[in-house]
Amino acid sequence: MAVSVCALAATSGVAEAGPGGVGVLPSQSGALPVGTTTLHLVDAERPDPFQPDRSRELMVSVFYPAADVNRYPRSHYVSTELIPGLEKTLGVELPGALTHAHREAPARASSAYPVVLYTPGAGVSRILGTGLAEDLASRGYVVVTIDHTYESGPAVEFPGGRIVRPAAAPNGFDTAIREKYIAARLLDFRFVLDSLTGLAAGTNPDAESDALPADLGRVLDMDRVGAVGHSSGGYAAVEAMHEDRRIDAAVDMDGQIGVDEAFGRAVTEGVDRPTLVLTSSQIEEVGDGNPSFDAFWQRATGWKRHLAIANSAHYDFTDMPSLVPAVARPAASTYIGTIDPDRIAALVRGYVAAMFDKFLRGNTDTVLDRPITEPEVTTIR
């Protein structure tokens, strides 16, 4: 049974009242205000692998440090077009749910910031990476979350309200369709990086040429790029780093580095750039990621670390723990663990930020450089 956003606010402990809605995500840990915008990107050079009569097109959200947010409204967590599908997935009513980011606010152009690409799990929307994206932006990153068309679900919404649903059911596809999805994602990564490079050079990559937030292109430092993903998105992030030298560091959140029994090229050929693997106690108990992790550790020559978080489950690396109210958490135990939602958010955000602080900013005094003190975190490798 669905729970209203007001009940969610009362039980999750993370909500804050605001005009037009209720905040549902933990507070940002960084000091910078955050702006956000969306881009419709069309790759005219690539037919879509799932609809060959159309060019490949993507929807992405950009989160960035903002200069002024006072005159700009906070962004809704999900559009009204997508609410029914996401509500069904989460068992939570979402109308009026707000994020911390402000729509179309001008970018903070006093500096250029490292860029991080975020890719979600199989059949999952980029929306569930909003909390992590906002937090990184508040710490001084530009984060681009990607929906992979015909894979991301419950649907991808394009301008004008056009809705595109997955080509295969998220839980019903076989190895062949998984490999097809990953292949599409890798080309999506390359295209998004190309589009951002153009944006940094002064062009507008939006297919409708919609006005962009002031100074957005000026805050992109395309010489410092990271990738982070959840589940199969974690695999795609590491694989994209292998394929594209522009990616300097990657974080895999609870995803094996391969498709079913088949390893990716990052495993079979190795990677010379840094990789952080974060896993839930759930995946550690199941053990299906171990073959790819073991093989990756044998061949990867770059810095690497594998940390596990106790009392966590697969979707604790997304916004789901913050969206599911306490009264509904037992029913969601297949997806989220018993760890407190604010605590898991702090741990995931903290370690992901530390990874990029260390390897995109050159910070040598992060939590990854010191002995682990968090009782929930264990070093596996």
Side-chain angles (χ1 to χ4, degrees), residues 28-31 114-116 131-141 143 224 226-228 249-253 276 278 303 307 317 344-370:
Q28 301 164 179
S29 56
V115 174
V116 175
L132 177 61
E134 289 187 337
D135 189 72
L136 283 171
S138 77
R139 298 173 185 247
Y141 291 89
V143 185
R224 295 183 291 170
V228 56
V251 180
D252 171 9
M253 300 188 297
L276 174 65
L278 299 174
W303 181 100
L307 305 176
F317 295 91
I344 186 65
L347 289 170
V348 171
R349 293 174 176 190
Y351 276 97
V352 172
M355 178 67 174
F356 295 132
D357 284 350
K358 180 175 178 65
F359 292 106
L360 300 186
R361 286 205 168 107
N363 186 342
T364 58
D365 186 26
T366 73
V367 294
L368 295 171
D369 299 292
R370 303 188 293 268

Side-chain angles (χ1 to χ4, degrees), residues 59 82 126 147-149 152 154-158 162-164:
M59 290 302 298
L82 295 185
R126 75 187 192 276
D147 264 343
H148 301 281
T149 315
S152 295
V156 180
E157 182 183 12
F158 287 93
R162 178 166 58 95
I163 299 296
V164 174

Side-chain angles (χ1 to χ4, degrees), residues 186 189 227 235-245 247 273:
L186 296 180
F189 265 91
Y235 162 38
V238 178
E239 196 76 350
M241 181 171 67
H242 173 277
E243 299 293 316
D244 197 322
R245 298 295 309 183
I247 300 176
R273 276 147 291 152

Side-chain angles (χ1 to χ4, degrees), residues 150-223:
Y150 298 107
E151 179 187 357
S152 295
V156 180
E157 182 183 12
F158 287 93
R162 178 166 58 95
I163 299 296
V164 174
R165 302 193 183 279
N171 297 320
F173 45 68
D174 58 15
T175 298
I177 191 67
R178 288 176 188 268
E179 290 177 342
K180 189 174 182 179
Y181 279 150
I182 291 295
R185 283 179 183 238
L186 296 180
L187 293 175
D188 291 346
F189 265 91
R190 185 176 296 278
F191 174 55
V192 170
L193 283 175
D194 289 345
S195 299
L196 295 175
T197 299
L199 176 58
T203 64
N204 183 350
D206 186 77
E208 282 73 37
S209 298
D210 286 345
L212 301 177
D215 294 323
L216 182 61
R218 295 178 59 191
V219 300
L220 298 165
D221 185 346
M222 298 306 299
D223 291 326

Side-chain angles (χ1 to χ4, degrees), residues 254 278-285 307-317:
D254 225 34
L278 299 174
T279 52
S280 65
S281 52
Q282 184 182 54
I283 198 175
E284 290 297 324
E285 291 168 6
L307 305 176
I309 302 178
N311 303 316
S312 62
H314 192 51
Y315 281 89
D316 280 316
F317 295 91

Side-chain angles (χ1 to χ4, degrees), residues 34-36 64-70 72 102-108 213-214:
V34 175
T36 187
Y64 52 89
D68 170 32
V69 297
N70 293 329
Y72 298 87
H102 295 255
R103 293 287 307 174
E104 312 302 330
R108 187 174 182 266

